[in-house]
Amino acid sequence: MSRGAAHRNRPWTRAVAAGALAVAALTLTPSADGTPGRTESAVESTSPVTEVTETEVSVRIPLPASAGTHPARCDWLSYLRYRSSDGPSKSADADRILVAQPGILEGAGAFDSVARNTVKAAAEKGRHIEFWALDRRSNCLEDNAGIATGNATRAVDYYYGGKQVDGRKFDGFLTSDQTGWLAEVGLEQTVRDQYDLLSAELPGQKLRKEKVLCGGHSLGGVLTGVFATWDFDSNPATKADAGFNQCAGYFALDTTISTSLDDLNGTSSGPGGSLLPGLIPDTGIGYAAVQAGLRTGVLPRFLALPAVLNPETMNLLALAGLAAGNAPDAESALLDSVPSNANIETTGRMLFSKNSEVFLKGSPTIRDFRLTNEAVLGAFMDDHSAPLAFIQTSVGFFDSASGSGGAGIVDKNFPVSNSDPAQPALFGTELKAIPDEPGGPLYTWRNYDRVGAADDPVYRSASGAPFTAAAKEVTDIGELARSLSEQPLDFTEDYFPTRLVTDIQLIDDPQLAGKLVHKAGLTANPKVTFVAGDGILADHIPQDENPVVLPGYQHLDVLTAAPVQNDGSRERIAAGLAEFAR
């Protein structure tokens, strides 16, 4: 195994459905001491969007000594590079390079669909652009060896059965006390990583200023805003190093280019007025005290809740994607094969309870229903089932062989009732539905492009309103499954550094504010903003951004939407980004 692969702690060969290698080639670039300082490995994909070449690039950019003891693999930065297959092989020769920062709990793999769609859309207009999906440094802590087998049974055996993969045994999900160095990975380290990576990959500030478009999804928009205003040489009088001078323009995907979480938190009051209530700690204390809390371990070093959102459940999403990608219509065995621990059982109850009575009683559970692998993934992430807006996609709807017109599929009134006004920032805007016959028929999944078809039974809420319609469905569940499980860099992020968000909350503290000196950088370059019409900004669309509003899209749909929509049109973000790059 190469140095570049070893630092990721996963095999660099990934089996896909046909048994081919997912990573087919490896390029090593030696550093001054003769050891590899950069690796680039070609990634084969089963994506239907062809004519796009994908590689995984890793560059050795060590953490500063002040970060303390950390795994050697965390001295590497990685990204997924997408380019037109018939375009130039050197990034510097591309017409434009879009560089994307991921959102909270999100990895580079989440950009796979929008990256491919955008590169292809540009190529069809005669432009050869690249799309770089960045992976945060903390993702070096993940162990995806099980997912990388391409086999759900082997993956479960690896994570829960003590079985080895390529001679490696899973050491368990990390706890906060095992990740002390993450206390030093905050806003400064994150934007510095982007600056150092761009400088290493595209030497020459003039080149970066002419060709790089900086942007991101969700929190990635805030990180881009901070990057734009940051002073990287500690001399405000010099501006060649300023973040805005590394970019020719900005792009925002269901976010805004800003230096504040206000747009993502929303304007609603009450329990739904925050994007991640309870997950992002509002400490109410000053910068120095927060840093002391993170360094001593009084505050958790990465974001995790006891259930629903933590490293194990993020990994469970990848397992669900793997099973759905390999055998979409087979009856799921995944939930019977993973252990019945408190985290998984509570998560199942949160995601799959018809009402508060079922949640409190703990019966029936999701294990009591017959669901296909795709239906399990849909239950976890579809906007008509998932209770948290920031993990929702519009991938279709449940289906059942028990009858037509709604038999066996009913209103899901937990954690909020369908009859109550939902707060978009937290629960989402769509009516929620759930299978209602435990032990009964096999519940299947109707993909986005089959909603509204002639054989669609049109399932209805108790109010009489249809749960969904063709115009509300935009993402192919098969492509979502593929992105979750096939990418060498994760769709999800298991160990998101707490300090990254506490730094943004305390951004006015002098120790941080002194770095954000180029305030005009936010408006120094052209900008394009895409807003999911049913997403987390739905109740406060930033009109001053002159956004492109996408009806029917949820927060993740801006990354995962299918290249051809139900009305026959091309996906609008890809077309818009390709045009913006022009």
Side-chain angles (χ1 to χ4, degrees), residues 97-110:
I97 302 159
L98 283 72
V99 178
Q101 278 277 2
I104 292 176
L105 301 173
E106 189 172 276

Side-chain angles (χ1 to χ4, degrees), residues 102-107 136 219 276 279 303-304 309-310 314 390-391 491-496:
I104 292 176
L105 301 173
E106 189 172 276
R136 265 186 289 273
L219 183 72
L276 295 176
L279 183 63
L303 299 186
L309 296 173
N310 53 56
M314 292 296 100
F390 58 90
I391 62 171
F491 187 110
T492 57
E493 179 179 27
D494 295 357
Y495 302 101
F496 179 88

